[in-house]
Amino acid sequence: MPKNPFKQPIKREEPPIKEMEKKLEKAEKMVEEVEERWIEEFEIVEKSVKELKRLWEENEGKIKRRYEIFSFFSSLSLPEVPSSLLERISNKFLKEFDWEKFERRRHLDKDLGLFLSAFLKKNVENYILSQKRKGLKEDQIKPIEVYLKVRRALIILSMLGCQNHAKLHLIIEGDSRDFTGTKMQNGEIVVKGDCGNWIGEEMQGGKIIVEGNCEYGIGEGMQGGKIIVERNCGDNTGIGMQDGEIVVKGDCGNWIGEEMQGGKIIVEGNCGGCAGKYMQGGELNIKGEVESFDKSAFSSNNQGTIIWKRTKIWENGDWTKEGKEMKEKGEIPV
């Protein structure tokens, strides 16, 4: 039987030795570069964590007044590190923090939170400057993502995200401890689990997502951005806020929107007493029950808007038609 003329033997030619040597040499060079970069990064992380520990131990407790602590920490010679290493350095610092040494120290939760916030903000600002030197505009600069692990902390940290920079995307892993509060610059902060007080204080932009409960003072003095709380908040939510938006999917404590000047607060659940105390502007929207509104919320000084149970009852210094009717019927708790 004649052989199939279409079947030809397949010739397998081995690549030239020189070509194989070039590829091997290139691979070895890549491995060396990776090893050198890993060693360099390891040294930067170790050195930076050591420096953070030193700065904390030398300066903690020096400033007692709350409103001066953040600026004091920001003025320190905090380590300047590559943006890609911020997450590793922050987590290693927390993991190696001497909790037993400072276990009984007062206000450790907020001071340590401010210390970390100052470290992150300084390095994000340096990152922004470096990107602008390359010719990038603000809207072209990508945010830095930092996943902060706080499960091993013996305390629930407060003051996280203080003056959060617009280009910091901070994800905070909480420890889901039971909530012990009362009744109840663009980037993104995500808090998993319960967190402490004054989250997002003086926030200038971006987003904070709290997957759990917050204690009191969330968004105090907030100037922009958005905070979303998946569960409940303590007292003084949005106190003194000037702009931005706070959304609480659960309940809030007392004095919500106190001294509020602008922005918007939306509460899906119920609120405690003295809601809208000394409110001057902005929008307070409470969809559930209210223990009581403060009388000052319904004065001519309040040029803002109050919405209760999906009905607008106050606007621009006076009662709305619906609000006046509810007031005459004694339906508004004051």
Side-chain angles (χ1 to χ4, degrees), residues 30-201:
M30 289 176 64
V31 171
E32 288 176 0
E33 289 175 353
V34 170
E35 288 178 346
E36 288 174 2
R37 186 165 63 250
W38 186 88
I39 293 171
E40 182 182 359
E41 290 180 353
F42 177 82
E43 292 175 348
I44 292 173
V45 171
E46 291 294 318
K47 182 180 178 181
S48 300
V49 171
K50 184 178 180 180
E51 183 65 9
L52 282 174
K53 290 178 183 177
R54 184 187 68 80
L55 287 170
W56 167 261
E57 294 196 4
E58 289 182 359
N59 295 282
E60 62 87 19
K62 282 188 176 180
I63 303 297
K64 301 295 184 182
R65 292 177 290 276
R66 175 189 161 195
Y67 292 101
E68 296 178 4
I69 295 173
F70 185 76
S71 58
F72 172 72
F73 283 148
S74 298
S75 68
L76 299 177
S77 298
L78 296 165
E80 297 183 13
V81 302
S83 58
S84 59
L85 299 180
L86 276 176
E87 179 177 304
R88 285 171 59 185
I89 293 169
S90 300
N91 285 323
K92 189 172 177 60
F93 171 73
L94 281 177
K95 184 179 179 180
E96 298 180 1
F97 188 81
D98 193 346
W99 297 105
E100 292 183 2
K101 182 176 181 179
F102 297 97
E103 186 177 1
R104 297 186 179 181
R105 183 192 184 282
R106 291 188 63 193
H107 309 306
L108 177 62
D109 61 329
K110 68 180 180 65
D111 288 358
L112 190 57
L114 287 170
F115 184 73
L116 277 174
S117 295
F119 168 66
L120 290 171
K121 185 181 179 185
K122 176 179 181 178
N123 279 280
V124 173
E125 289 174 345
N126 290 339
Y127 163 74
I128 300 299
L129 289 174
S130 68
Q131 296 301 298
K132 287 184 175 180
R133 291 192 194 102
K134 295 177 181 179
L136 294 178
K137 296 180 180 179
E138 188 81 20
D139 58 355
Q140 296 175 317
I141 301 174
K142 295 181 179 180
I144 299 171
E145 183 174 296
V146 176
Y147 190 95
L148 194 61
K149 300 178 181 179
V150 296
R151 283 186 182 273
R152 294 184 179 89
L154 298 182
I155 58 172
I156 298 177
L157 294 178
S158 299
M159 306 297 292
L160 296 169
C162 179
Q163 296 186 18
N164 182 61
H165 198 282
K167 298 299 180 181
L168 175 60
H169 180 170
L170 184 60
I171 305 170
I172 305 173
E173 176 195 64
D175 62 0
S176 300
R177 274 176 276 197
D178 292 335
F179 182 54
T180 56
T182 60
K183 176 191 170 185
M184 314 281 284
Q185 327 196 325
N186 301 331
E188 182 171 351
I189 301 179
V190 180
V191 184
K192 292 185 177 180
D194 299 336
C195 54
N197 312 313
W198 303 299
I199 300 299
E201 183 180 59

Side-chain angles (χ1 to χ4, degrees), residues 156 158 175-184 193-199 210-218 229 231-237 248 250-254:
I156 298 177
S158 299
D175 62 0
S176 300
R177 274 176 276 197
D178 292 335
F179 182 54
T180 56
T182 60
K183 176 191 170 185
M184 314 281 284
D194 299 336
C195 54
N197 312 313
W198 303 299
I199 300 299
V210 181
E211 296 185 351
N213 302 295
C214 279
E215 294 185 16
Y216 55 85
I218 182 171
V229 182
R231 294 181 65 187
N232 307 312
C233 282
D235 296 338
N236 298 113
T237 296
V248 181
D251 301 330
C252 275
N254 304 311

